[in-house]
Amino acid sequence: MDAMIDAGCVFGWFFPLMPVGSCAVPQLMLTPYQKMQVKDRLAEMRATKPLLFFDFGHDEWMAGGCLAGRKMLHVNSQGGVEPCMFTQFAVDNVKDKPYVEVLRSKFLGKVRDDGRIRANPQKTCLVTDVPEVFRAIVNEEGAKNQSGDTFMTTMAPVVDTFAREDKALHEAEKK
């Protein structure tokens, strides 16, 4: 942090590792407890360091929850339009239809408007908080895997367990 400040940095983003792609290594993800420790450490740094930063794992509540499909999209190298860079599934491609039409797609609309995703603005990441909801939307809309992602198969039990443990940790913290 100090080296960044000394180099003239005034703004930063913190992104936790997300288990995406065909070579995902879930053992490198922060555990829910480690994620909570990072949140606490970042709060401490915000109070003591002259640096403005956004914690992608905890600050989305300021924007009303997950930004995927609402305030950000990801267009991959093949032109597939994904709700975010961590949700590597797409229905539409910018090479096949106008971008405005892509934005109005049923797939992105479900990601934007699904009440299960927006129920708790502090816990809405499609990958780590509500993976079962995102898998359902992918299946309902026939979204195609864009990266050899294992989110629907071998990673499913991993992210489901993470989501359960993270939810339990946050509920215990409230008490």
Side-chain angles (χ1 to χ4, degrees):
M1 215 33 121
D2 290 332
M4 291 172 56
I5 293 166
D6 291 343
C9 182
V10 295
F11 180 78
W13 287 77
F14 287 88
F15 285 88
L17 179 100
M18 299 293 272
V20 299
S22 59
C23 298
V25 181
Q27 296 83 359
L28 297 177
M29 283 177 63
L30 295 175
T31 66
Y33 180 73
Q34 290 169 327
K35 195 174 158 191
M36 190 67 74
Q37 287 179 308
V38 167
K39 177 184 176 186
D40 293 344
R41 178 69 175 120
L42 293 178
E44 177 186 318
M45 286 190 289
R46 282 183 169 136
T48 61
K49 302 289 182 187
L51 186 65
L52 174 65
F53 56 87
F54 184 81
D55 173 11
F56 208 75
H58 295 102
D59 291 341
E60 289 178 328
W61 65 269
M62 288 187 260
C66 180
L67 305 174
R70 294 181 319 119
K71 297 185 181 195
M72 95 173 144
L73 293 171
H74 181 250
V75 179
N76 64 38
S77 60
Q78 295 84 38
V81 181
E82 305 159 349
C84 90
M85 64 285 243
F86 302 123
T87 57
Q88 300 176 342
F89 293 85
V91 170
D92 295 305
N93 192 299
V94 294
K95 295 177 184 176
D96 301 329
K97 59 174 71 171
Y99 196 66
V100 172
E101 194 175 320
V102 170
L103 293 175
R104 293 183 187 132
S105 78
K106 197 171 171 188
F107 175 59
L108 293 178
K110 282 189 175 183
V111 170
R112 276 191 299 271
D113 301 331
D114 192 297
R116 299 170 294 177
I117 297 168
R118 308 288 166 234
N120 179 353
Q122 294 189 14
K123 302 299 299 163
T124 60
C125 174
L126 296 174
V127 175
T128 61
D129 295 326
V130 289
E132 71 288 353
V133 173
F134 185 60
R135 281 195 300 272
I137 293 171
V138 165
N139 284 328
E140 290 163 10
E141 297 308 315
K144 302 293 183 239
N145 186 323
Q146 301 291 292
S147 68
D149 198 305
T150 57
F151 178 74
M152 302 292 278
T153 56
T154 57
M155 284 300 296
V158 173
V159 292
D160 289 349
T161 298
F162 180 94
R164 279 192 306 276
E165 290 175 1
D166 194 52
K167 182 178 181 182
L169 182 63
H170 280 81
E171 288 173 358
E173 183 185 48
K174 288 178 189 176
K175 293 178 183 176

